[in-house]
Amino acid sequence: FLSLVAEFCCGFFVILILGNFWFLGVLYLLWLYLDWETPCAGGRRSQWVRGWTVWKYFREYFPIHLIKTSELNPNHNYLLGFHPHGVLVAGAFGNFCTDPPFKNLFPGLTPYLHIMPIWFGCPFFREYIMSAGMVSASKESVSHVLNNKGGGHASVIVIGGAEESLNAHPGSLTLNILKRKGFIKMALKHGAHLVPVFSFGENELFKQVANPKGSWLRNVQEKLRKIMGFALPLFHARGVFQYSFGLIPYRQPINTVVGSPIPVKQNLNPTTEEIDQLHALYLQKLKKLFEEHKSNYGIPAHKSLIFE
């Protein structure tokens, strides 16, 4: 959905530049230049956009639910690790970029969903995603959010990133996380409490063309990801009036479970050992969260998370 909106915005910008209203396009380019750093400085959210009625229907389509397991004291800042990426990341968008799910369950906390910086280079589209509460996933952006002295900020990072979307097959429980420790270092540097989040049903929204590791398709996808910065999973789901083929996601429930916070003491210069130790604890808490809730959402008892 976001990709389609981005394409429309880029197309509209090209029409402005090439058409009779080229001067508007030039003015927007000037604005883009002056406003370039905003996605790394907390963005520019709009409660009006976040509260659009269309998001209510978006959440009800699947439906999407946010489940609270523990209190999050608004006097602290938090770094929420979201898993898995899936194809659409619908749970992250529906719960953290629209109101009122997160606001009602965690009053006093403001969520910021960090996404790839490349999206903020798209004319007009960048204004929309910032209004929904999305900001850049750069180190500067995460630092800006977590550096709030009064607390009350929550950085939401999809830990597996684009690479993990290539594993987004129905039933898949593989997470790309073993080598991803940058978020741990950021939490330590800012003393932000870590919170594991698992979104049950995220991988069930689409069927993806078989792309096992080592296959020619997976090799091509990996090369394109390294060149472009984002992955290109080949997926399909249902159509508007039929259920056999299309790009509309299946109506599968998404239950995003927010775990208990892991207290983190600020350490401006953490050692590799300290980062590894906290990373191991995070993996332990994430696995525990999954095991405690999997039976509620149709995951067989013998199934467990796979960390890569």
Side-chain angles (χ1 to χ4, degrees):
F1 173 74
L2 290 180
S3 297
L4 291 175
V5 176
E7 290 175 9
F8 172 81
C9 290
C10 289
F12 179 69
F13 179 72
V14 170
I15 291 174
L16 278 183
I17 290 293
L18 298 180
N20 294 328
F21 299 96
W22 60 268
F23 60 93
L24 293 178
V26 172
L27 286 176
Y28 184 80
L29 281 177
L30 176 60
W31 163 255
L32 196 61
Y33 173 77
L34 296 174
D35 194 57
W36 190 255
E37 297 299 325
T38 300
C40 295
R44 188 169 44 246
R45 71 177 53 223
S46 164
Q47 294 304 131
W48 175 67
V49 172
R50 289 173 60 88
W52 281 352
T53 303
V54 67
W55 304 135
K56 174 178 179 290
Y57 294 117
F58 173 80
R59 295 191 301 268
E60 291 177 350
Y61 171 80
F62 298 97
I64 295 174
H65 297 292
L66 187 65
I67 294 89
K68 175 182 179 180
T69 64
S70 178
E71 294 292 338
L72 297 183
N73 189 332
N75 293 325
H76 298 295
N77 293 318
Y78 298 88
L79 195 158
L80 279 61
F82 184 92
H83 313 270
H85 185 286
V87 171
L88 190 62
V89 206
F93 178 80
N95 287 310
F96 303 116
C97 295
T98 71
D99 286 332
F102 190 86
K103 182 170 66 175
N104 285 353
L105 289 179
F106 302 100
L109 280 181
T110 302
Y112 295 83
L113 179 60
H114 296 271
I115 64 174
M116 291 185 298
I118 190 174
W119 291 112
F120 296 98
C122 180
F124 301 115
F125 180 67
R126 69 189 296 275
E127 318 303 336
Y128 158 67
I129 57 180
M130 279 196 290
S131 67
M134 289 180 249
V135 292
S136 172
S138 67
K139 292 180 181 179
E140 296 79 9
S141 178
V142 177
S143 290
H144 181 89
V145 173
L146 297 181
N147 202 35
N148 187 40
K149 300 303 181 182
H153 282 189
S155 279
V156 184
I157 301 177
V158 185
I159 305 299
E163 183 179 358
E164 194 172 87
S165 68
L166 299 178
N167 290 327
H169 297 272
S172 174
L173 296 173
T174 300
L175 303 181
N176 292 74
I177 191 172
L178 291 182
K179 296 181 180 180
R180 296 178 180 265
K181 302 179 182 180
F183 73 103
I184 298 292
K185 188 174 183 179
M186 293 300 293
L188 282 166
K189 282 191 170 184
H190 295 280
H193 296 349
L194 281 167
V195 182
V197 178
F198 195 87
S199 195
F200 291 90
E202 200 74 46
N203 284 338
E204 319 305 316
L205 305 185
F206 296 93
K207 291 179 180 178
Q208 192 173 167
V209 175
N211 60 342
K213 288 189 175 181
S215 65
W216 70 269
L217 176 57
R218 186 60 168 258
N219 290 336
V220 170
Q221 289 175 321
E222 290 288 358
K223 289 179 181 178
L224 289 175
R225 181 184 63 81
K226 291 177 181 179
I227 294 172
M228 300 184 298
F230 57 90
L232 291 173
L234 298 180
F235 60 89
H236 66 88
R238 54 163 290 185
V240 179
F241 301 111
Q242 45 78 29
Y243 292 85
S244 57
F245 188 82
L247 295 179
I248 298 176
Y250 293 115
R251 297 192 70 177
Q252 296 290 337
I254 299 172
N255 294 284
T256 304
V257 184
V258 180
S260 301
I262 303 170
V264 177
K265 185 177 180 180
Q266 187 174 26
N267 183 346
L268 296 177
N269 296 291
T271 64
T272 301
E273 183 180 356
E274 289 170 330
I275 293 172
D276 289 344
Q277 186 178 9
L278 183 55
H279 186 261
L281 177 60
Y282 179 85
L283 294 183
Q284 178 186 332
K285 295 295 185 181
L286 174 60
K287 187 172 184 179
K288 181 181 178 183
L289 178 70
F290 174 81
E291 293 294 332
E292 288 178 346
H293 294 273
K294 67 180 183 181
S295 61
N296 297 332
Y297 306 113
I299 307 294
H302 68 279
K303 291 276 192 177
S304 296
L305 292 179
I306 300 172
F307 297 144
E308 289 187 345

